[in-house]
Structures are given as C-alpha cells and as structure tokens.
Amino acid sequence: MLDGKKTLFSGMQATGNLTLGNYLGALKNWVTISDEYNCFYSVVDMHSITVRQDPATLRKRARTLLTLYIAAGLDPKRNCIYYQSHVSAHAELAWILNCFTYMGELNRMTQFKDKAAKHADNINAGLFTYPVLMAADILLYQADVVPVGIDQMQHLEITRDIAQRFNSVYGEVFTVPEVYLGKVGAKIMSLQDPSKKMSKSDENPNGSIYLMDDKDTIMRKCKRAVTDSEGVIRYSDEQPGLKNLIDIYRACTGKTADEVVREFDGRGYGDFKAAVGEAVAAILVPLQEEQARLAADKAYLDGIIRENAERAGYYANKTLRKVQKKIGFPERVRKA
Ligand code: ATP
Ligand code: LTN
C-alpha cells in the first residue's frame, strides 16, 4: 500500500493495432478506476517479442500505445506509465519465478496453446513462460488489483498461485493480487464471427474496429457486422452477433441492455448498426485527435517516459532486493 491507496498494475502488448475490444475491455476501465489506486500501467514490450516483431514497427507501436494510454485519460503524473523493457527488474524477477513455476501449470494455459497453434514455426520458450513474466510484472509492484479482460483470468490465477507458493516458503513477500473485471465490455467479440473475441491479431480486418479507424471505416464495419435473420432487437445468447453490438453500444453510451432494447423497439438492424457506428465514432475520433496532439510533442513525451521509468524502477527494485535476499543471493557490498 502506498499513500493509503491500494496498488494497481496492468499492461498491454504493443503488438498489432489496438482494437475497440482493447479499449472497452481494458483502457476505458483503467481510466475509470485510476483515481482510486496507485497505478502502474506498462507497455509490455518484452511480452511482445514472444512472437516475431519487426524492430522499427515494434518501436513505433510501443510509443503509440504509451501515447494512447495518456490520450485515453491516464494522467502520467499520477499514474506510472512506462515501458516494461526500461525496468530490468521485470526480467530478473521473472527468472526467479521461473524456478517456482511448474511445467504442468504452464502446459495448461490456453493462451499458450492458441498461440503455439498459430505460430507453429516459432514455439519458443518465451511463449511458454509468458505467464511467469506477467506474474513478475504484477508481483514486483505488490499490486492489490489487476484489471484485465476475462481472457487473462487464467494468467491471474497462476500469478496468485506463484505468489502464494513463494510466500509459503519465504514468508509474506508478495501481495497476492485480485483480478478486477470491468462489468461492461469484458469481452467484445469479432464483428465477423461472434464466437471469437475481437483481437488485434485477427487476419480479417473487418472483424475488428481499430482505435485508429476513421469514421467511415467504423460505420462500414458496423454495417457489415454479422447478425442473424430474426430481425428483432433482443439481448439474447441466441443472437450472439446482435448481443455483441448491444454490448458495444452499451459500453460506448453507458446505457443498460434494457434501455437499448427499448430504444430500438420495432426498428430494423440497419438503424441499430448505424447508431452503433455513431456511438463508437463519438468515442474514437476524439481519442485519435488527442493521441495525435500528444505524439507531436516529443520533448513532453520523452520526459514522461524517463521520469516514469525511474519511478517504476524504484518500486520494482525494492521488491526485487527483498526477494533476492530471501532466496539467499549474496548481499551486495556497498562502498565504505
Ligand atoms: P492478441 O490478439 O495479439 O493476443 P489482444 O487483442 O487479445 O491481442 P492483448 O494485448 O492480449 O490484446 O490484451 C490487452 C488487454 O485488452 C487485456 O486486458 C485483454 O483482456 C483486453 N482485451 C483484448 N481483447 C479484448 C476483447 N475482445 N474484449 C475485451 N477485452 C479485451
Ligand atoms: N498478458 C496480458 C498483458 C500483460 C499484463 C501484464 C496484463 C502483461 N503483463 C500484467 C496485466 C498485468 C495480455 O495479453 N493482455
């Protein structure tokens, strides 16, 4: 606990172009709760290299993502916004935690199975131990809460197991974190296949609305979204495409599902899809403008990046030193 507030940690990978799913499932919730906690929001670029990345693209996307955190409303003076690769304690703690994690546990991770199937030519050890680096991220800052989408629950569970295992041997070293799931937007599905989550790495660009899509593209993608032939606007599992659009609309407007169903009672899917497009654009267009404004101010951003990496490093190293001492690494000898 810092300054009487609990600590929050979360991160996003700088791979692919961010989608509306990332925004509604993660970023938007981060902003809503950021006042209540001491927050660490990392651009987890070390996780990104578990799949091959073009260096220039990775660098550019990492910076865009960091800028988007700020554009979305996270104040970088009050929230620690930084690149994971700038704080070497992440890698150091991950190594230690690797020695407290079982192969059997990692073998059960569905994200690993999915990514291994998708990148069959590059099933590297980093992809396998991805959850351990994620545990290190969270435990380094003694985070009490971790806001993530539902797809990351399994990684949160393993983080808790690792923390508890470590604590049971060495005493209360780590805070055991709780997951924080946003109520609306926890899982936004693909517009083209509502059984799959909307994902940055989807090959079909029409399944996802990207945060950088212009209004025309947003409207077009919403219009083309897969629905059904029932023709009645209801919020039901039997109409998954429509349900997903209602979820998107709710998340963008703050309305309840009942209110949405009433609003569109007796109207066609075409009308509703256009309204969804408008609601999404009303959120994304101002976000894009703010992102562009910030990106143009290089000196300001560089200052934020430097200061926040230092701040993150301070807290991370405090935990790391404690862990190193507990496990019996020789103490550092200070100059007399
Ligand atoms: P990839 O497809 O490359 O695995 P992703 O789009 O799933 O990426 P992540 O970087 O894994 O994105 O996720 C960043 C954050 O966004 C996480 O907290 C995750 O739970 C959330 N998130 C991702 N996709 C969705 C979605 N469709 N709906 C709600 N939240 C999501
Ligand atoms: N695995 C997460 C990104 C991530 C993360 C974290 C989220 C890496 N480290 C720590 C929360 C806390 C993802 O793919 N969304």
Side-chain angles (χ1 to χ4, degrees):
M1 190 160 326
L2 288 171
D3 322 325
K5 280 188 186 175
K6 287 189 168 179
T7 300
L8 178 154
F9 185 95
S10 201
M12 240 188 259
Q13 292 194 65
T15 29
N17 290 319
L18 247 60
T19 70
L20 186 66
N22 298 127
Y23 178 74
L24 297 178
L27 250 186
K28 187 166 177 274
N29 293 323
W30 293 4
V31 177
T32 315
I33 55 176
S34 65
D35 276 347
E36 289 170 50
Y37 298 94
N38 277 301
C39 301
F40 293 86
Y41 291 114
S42 186
V43 170
V44 291
D45 47 358
M46 288 162 66
H47 278 106
S48 298
I49 63 162
T50 52
V51 302
R52 287 285 170 265
Q53 302 292 334
D54 168 66
T57 311
L58 176 60
R59 202 168 1 255
K60 187 158 167 262
R61 284 194 170 145
R63 194 162 171 111
T64 304
L65 181 55
L66 189 131
T67 317
L68 265 174
Y69 284 5
I70 306 172
L74 296 172
D75 177 352
K77 295 278 175 212
R78 301 172 63 203
N79 301 281
C80 193
I81 292 173
Y82 72 101
Y83 296 121
Q84 182 188 33
S85 64
H86 284 191
V87 179
S88 55
H90 288 255
E92 293 180 70
L93 183 63
W95 171 254
I96 295 170
L97 298 183
N98 265 320
C99 304
F100 290 84
T101 310
Y102 299 114
M103 302 281 285
E105 285 178 300
L106 293 173
N107 261 324
R108 286 198 291 274
M109 296 292 117
T110 55
Q111 181 175 300
F112 170 69
K113 289 186 213 165
D114 292 349
K115 295 220 166 166
K118 225 166 169 178
H119 304 276
D121 55 336
N122 180 22
I123 306 176
N124 61 72
L127 198 60
F128 189 62
T129 59
Y130 178 114
V132 184
L133 178 58
M134 180 157 162
D137 298 342
I138 297 166
L139 300 180
L140 268 180
Y141 299 92
Q142 306 289 358
D144 298 281
V145 292
V146 182
V148 281
I150 241 164
D151 59 302
Q152 292 298 310
M153 280 292 275
Q154 215 185 12
H155 289 165
L156 244 285
E157 283 304 322
I158 199 175
T159 300
R160 289 168 55 87
D161 290 344
I162 296 170
Q164 277 159 349
R165 184 172 306 143
F166 195 95
N167 286 353
S168 71
V169 181
Y170 300 102
E172 294 304 302
V173 177
F174 294 125
T175 302
V176 180
E178 302 283 341
V179 68
Y180 179 101
L181 284 178
K183 287 177 199 66
V184 189
K187 197 162 187 185
I188 301 297
M189 311 310 282
S190 158
L191 298 182
Q192 291 298 313
D193 177 359
S195 67
K196 269 185 5 195
K197 76 163 188 165
M198 186 182 283
S199 153
K200 342 190 197 89
S201 46
D202 192 342
E203 294 95 45
N204 182 354
N206 289 323
S208 305
I209 294 176
Y210 298 107
L211 294 193
M212 293 300 169
D213 279 348
D214 60 22
K215 185 166 175 188
D216 287 349
T217 311
I218 296 170
M219 297 301 290
R220 181 172 46 77
K221 287 181 177 175
C222 286
K223 264 185 211 144
R224 284 201 197 158
V226 169
T227 43
D228 52 74
S229 53
E230 303 239 343
V232 184
I233 296 184
R234 265 191 252 113
Y235 188 69
S236 131
D237 288 335
E238 267 121 65
Q239 291 166 274
L242 194 64
K243 184 169 186 235
N244 185 42
L245 289 175
I246 296 177
D247 279 335
I248 294 174
Y249 190 71
R250 288 168 66 192
C252 292
T253 58
K255 293 178 184 167
T256 65
D258 277 351
E259 282 168 347
V260 181
V261 169
R262 247 179 284 133
E263 185 180 346
F264 290 91
D265 185 31
R267 289 163 69 185
Y269 288 179
D271 267 10
F272 178 56
K273 287 176 172 179
V276 175
E278 291 287 348
V280 171
I283 300 260
L284 295 193
V285 172
L287 182 67
Q288 293 163 2
E289 287 166 0
E290 182 60 5
Q291 199 275 342
R293 192 187 67 79
L294 287 165
D297 197 345
K298 184 170 183 305
Y300 166 76
L301 268 186
D302 286 347
I304 296 291
I305 289 168
R306 186 172 17 83
E307 278 166 30
N308 279 330
E310 260 172 42
R311 193 142 52 101
Y314 169 79
Y315 293 110
N317 280 310
K318 232 163 92 168
T319 301
L320 181 66
R321 296 292 169 252
K322 191 165 166 190
V323 169
Q324 289 171 330
K325 195 167 167 184
K326 289 279 184 187
I327 56 178
F329 287 172
E331 295 230 36
R332 282 155 204 259
V333 182
R334 288 207 185 79
K335 247 189 182 164

